[in-house]
Structure formats: C-alpha cells, structure tokens
Amino acid sequence: MAELTGFQEQAPYDERIDLRTDFVMVYGLNDTTAERIERWRRAGYRIHLMTGISWGTYQDYLYGDWDGEQHWDDAQTVADGSPILHGKDIPYMVPTVSFTDYLVQKLRPILELGVEGVHLEEPEFWARAGYSPAFRREWQAYFGEPWQDPHSSPEAHFRSGQLKQHLLTRSLDRVTTVLRDEALRAGHDLRFYVPTHSLLNYTQWQIISPESKLRDLVSVHGAIAQVWTGTSRTPNIYAGRHAERTFETAYLEYGIAQDLTRGTDRTLWFLHDPIEDQPDRTWQDYLANYHRTLVASLLHPDVTRFEVAPWPHRIFTRPYLSEGSTERIGIPPATATSYLITMNALRDLDGRGCISSPTCHTSACCCPTPPCSSGGVPARRWDTTTGFRTRWRSRAGSCSTSPTSTGWRCRRCLPGSRSVRSSWRI
C-alpha cells in the first residue's frame, strides 16, 4: 500500500482524530511510545515515528541521567550565554558526538516495535548561536584553531555557518546509518526521513540547515516539506510594502523544497496545517490561510503525497476564537467538514488531476546556509531571503527579478542557470 497521506500525533488513538490516512507518525520518545504505537496499529495505520533531531524532551541527557554528566553546555547559546529554548527545559542542541550517541541509544528500542519509518525533524542551528562551550570545542576540532566570535567579522560568521551545517549533517548521517544497519541485520528495512522547513523560511528566520547535504546521506529516504501558515505568513517586502503574502510565499516555499528529492527516487510529502502554532487567531483566519497554502501546494503537480495535518488533536478537540467574539469555541461543523473532505481528496490525488498545458517556470536560488552571507549584521531586517529584490506578477505566471547572488527569476530569463524550479501550469 502506498503511503500517500499521513499525519503526526503525540496523543494516543482517539476516534475524534482518526483521519483514515495511510500512515501515522507517532510523535516523541517516552514511556508511552510503545503503547501509543500499538493503539494506532490496531486502528489500521502503518506506523512511523517522529522526533526532533535538534530539540526534544531529552532532559535525561541534559541533567545527567543518561551518563552521569550534565550536558547543558551542549545547548545552542547566544552571545550573553543564554540558551535558545524550544520550551521549558527543551533547548536547541549542538549536535555533538555525545548527543548523537545519546539519540542512537534513545531510538534503538523502536527497532523492536515494528516501525516502518523514522522522521528526524527539523535539523536546525540558529544563526545567532555559536557561543556554547560545546560549539567552541567543535570549532577547534573542525578548523584546527581557537574559536572566533561568529559575529566578529563576515568571515567568522560564514565559517560558523559552515560548521553548523557540518555538525547537523554529521549527526543525521550517524543516527540514520547506525540504526539502519542494525535494523537490516535484524531483517527489518527501516526507512529514515527528514521533515524540514524550506530554505526560504530558514533564511527569513535566520536558521542554518543541512538541506543541501541531505541528498548525500545514503540512509535518508526522503523528506517532508514543512510549509504551512506559520512559515508562509511571515511578512516580506514587495513593491516597497512590508506585509503578509501567505499564498505567494507558500508557492515559492513548496517549489524550492522539491529540490530535496528532485531527480532521485526518494519520497517527498508536502505538509498542510489547518491550524498553526499561534493559538490566538480565529477559525476564519485559520481556514482562509489553510486554503492559501493548500492551493499553493497543488500548483506543484509533481508532488502528490501529503502530510495532511500535524497534531489533529489540536484541530478537532481544542477551542479557538471566532470573528466578532472573545469566546473560544470548538471547531465549527462546516469547517470540520471542509477539512476532512480535503484530506480525503488528497489521498486520491496520486498521479491524477495534473493539467497538461504550457508551463511557466519560476525559480528560487538559495545559498546552502543562507544566513552565512549576512555578515552577522544584527540591525538589518531580514525580509524574504538574503539578497532578494523581486518584482513578481502572479497573473499569467510572469515574474522578474533584479540580478542578485540569490533570488528567483523566470527560468526562460535565466538559461543554463542552476536553480530550484517550480512548475506553474497555466
């Protein structure tokens, strides 16, 4: 059975969030993981597992329960010594050898649980980080010289980005290679995937990513393009106006993300999120922006596999605001119907519904570690991506840009260039 649609969920099976997709990504590693996997399996799902590669509920590592040593010096740290946190006691981690070995050991028990795929999400290193003791040691080991303040010069900032990408790539390679080898020796073909934001979004948010290296990792079988309202509504500048452009940004994000697997036999899913991480918007806002990202993804007909939702429990069991009211309510029936019909239709989309007609190609070119080129200038506001100066008209698919080191441009205007191509059938 093809794994065309799936979702990620940390809650146990509940008929209210039974979306009837092909697979479920059971989220997180804790004492309930085995039980949650079994309950979802009994409900008829193929089982994958998802956890963070750069952050997670890894307090047993931080506080020394794993090896008797505290490891807060492995946290990604800014110039004033503060750790960058994803949540309480959940710092973004420097992917040291020690932390990588911990992840291998933490994941090893899933080899006995019949999991078919493992998703190591969001390998991320913040551009403003680079001050922790662990990172300073890694600098010495990689460059063979004492650590330099990443923001002391453009060269130091660029080299810091190179090291961050190297560390993330090394960690992913070791985790996937070791565990896949152990699975194969046990007669189990375990597959690994990397859910990740687009390079456009990582540049806007100033995060280093190893995306350009993923194609070289032989034990990685594909990716999930994590594009959703939360990334695509990030304001950018067009025609001198700073504003949200959810549809246009999502279209470009989905387009550049296709380079994660283009030209390979690896699998790529596009993510949709009917809600988003910001809990104080209205049902009407969530639905409108869901439609914008959904349509943007469908304008890329080469990808017909989808993660239809992260966290269905927060969609179908939590209350949110409604326009004109300060009261939080559960999901309106018409909204729930719209979401569910769409999710079921996506399951039937594989290879069908693509329009055959003339194609205009828009392209997005991006440095593998885009924030490296900023020189670490903190005063500059990061809009769109590094170096982008764009003029884009969506009608009839026409687009043009000023020539820059990174940018997007109609492919017919840039013959022979190496770019990430997005097909827009018109």
Side-chain angles (χ1 to χ4, degrees), residues 215-248:
R215 296 165 69 100
D216 298 329
L217 302 184
V218 296
S219 294
V220 171
H221 296 77
I224 298 175
Q226 292 180 315
V227 179
W228 76 99
T229 302
T231 62
S232 299
R233 76 184 309 162
T234 302
N236 50 49
I237 292 178
Y238 168 68
R241 190 168 70 91
H242 186 251
E244 292 182 9
R245 295 177 177 83
T246 305
F247 168 75
E248 294 89 341

Side-chain angles (χ1 to χ4, degrees), residues 47-316:
I47 303 299
H48 292 206
L49 181 131
M50 181 184 288
T51 192
I53 188 75
S54 294
W55 56 268
T57 53
Y58 302 141
Q59 289 81 13
D60 53 338
Y61 179 76
L62 288 171
Y63 289 106
D65 296 337
W66 178 61
D67 62 355
E69 297 182 19
Q70 294 208 16
H71 291 282
W72 271 99
D73 62 347
D74 282 11
Q76 295 182 29
T77 303
V78 296
D80 67 0
S82 303
I84 301 175
L85 299 176
H86 189 83
K88 179 177 171 53
D89 284 349
I90 304 178
Y92 287 84
M93 302 298 294
V94 177
T96 60
V97 172
S98 175
F99 180 64
T100 301
D101 288 343
Y102 161 81
L103 288 176
V104 170
Q105 182 172 318
K106 190 85 169 178
L107 284 161
R108 188 169 279 126
I110 69 165
L111 299 178
E112 307 297 327
L113 300 178
V115 171
E116 298 184 46
V118 175
H119 298 254
L120 302 171
E121 77 156 336
E122 298 181 344
E124 298 172 346
F125 212 127
W126 288 88
R128 67 179 187 271
Y131 295 87
S132 67
F135 188 77
R136 296 178 189 226
R137 292 193 298 269
E138 293 288 357
W139 182 292
Q140 177 78 46
Y142 188 71
F143 291 115
E145 60 184 43
W147 171 83
Q148 297 178 28
D149 184 329
H151 295 88
S152 61
S153 69
E155 180 183 5
H157 191 69
F158 182 81
R159 296 175 77 191
S160 171
Q162 285 183 310
L163 175 56
K164 292 169 182 177
Q165 186 190 63
H166 162 73
L167 295 175
L168 292 167
T169 305
R170 183 184 70 182
S171 182
L172 276 170
D173 188 36
R174 179 166 176 78
V175 171
T176 58
T177 300
V178 170
L179 291 176
R180 179 160 168 76
D181 177 69
E182 293 182 11
L184 289 172
R185 284 192 280 118
H188 178 36
D189 187 11
L190 183 63
R191 291 168 278 128
F192 288 90
Y193 304 97
V194 180
T196 176
H197 299 201
S198 73
L199 282 178
L200 298 184
N201 173 255
Y202 277 147
T203 304
Q204 286 186 293
W205 289 5
Q206 300 185 59
I207 296 174
I208 306 299
S209 164
E211 286 185 31
S212 65
K213 302 293 187 181
L214 296 182
R215 296 165 69 100
D216 298 329
L217 302 184
V218 296
S219 294
V220 171
H221 296 77
I224 298 175
Q226 292 180 315
V227 179
W228 76 99
T229 302
T231 62
S232 299
R233 76 184 309 162
T234 302
N236 50 49
I237 292 178
Y238 168 68
R241 190 168 70 91
H242 186 251
E244 292 182 9
R245 295 177 177 83
T246 305
F247 168 75
E248 294 89 341
T249 305
Y251 174 76
L252 291 167
E253 283 199 80
Y254 284 119
I256 197 171
Q258 290 178 81
D259 196 44
L260 289 165
T261 60
R262 189 187 299 278
T264 73
D265 60 357
R266 299 183 180 188
T267 302
L268 179 67
W269 292 272
F270 279 168
L271 169 69
H272 303 136
D273 190 351
I275 305 294
E276 62 163 305
D277 296 337
Q278 167 54 259
D280 295 324
R281 304 191 188 276
T282 65
W283 282 111
Q284 292 79 8
D285 182 276
Y286 293 136
L287 182 61
N289 282 290
Y290 170 70
H291 286 161
R292 292 183 180 103
T293 56
L294 171 70
V295 172
S297 73
L298 295 177
L299 291 173
H300 299 284
D302 290 340
V303 177
T304 54
R305 296 171 183 253
F306 303 93
E307 181 184 348
V308 299
W311 325 124
H313 76 276
R314 78 175 181 183
I315 303 167
F316 295 101

Side-chain angles (χ1 to χ4, degrees), residues 294-349:
L294 171 70
V295 172
S297 73
L298 295 177
L299 291 173
H300 299 284
D302 290 340
V303 177
T304 54
R305 296 171 183 253
F306 303 93
E307 181 184 348
V308 299
W311 325 124
H313 76 276
R314 78 175 181 183
I315 303 167
F316 295 101
T317 69
R318 289 185 181 177
Y320 297 96
L321 296 170
S322 184
E323 287 185 359
S325 174
T326 59
E327 181 183 357
R328 292 179 180 268
I329 62 173
I331 187 168
T335 302
T337 299
S338 175
Y339 286 155
L340 293 171
I341 289 175
T342 302
M343 292 172 185
N344 276 279
L346 291 171
R347 186 174 55 193
D348 299 327
L349 192 62

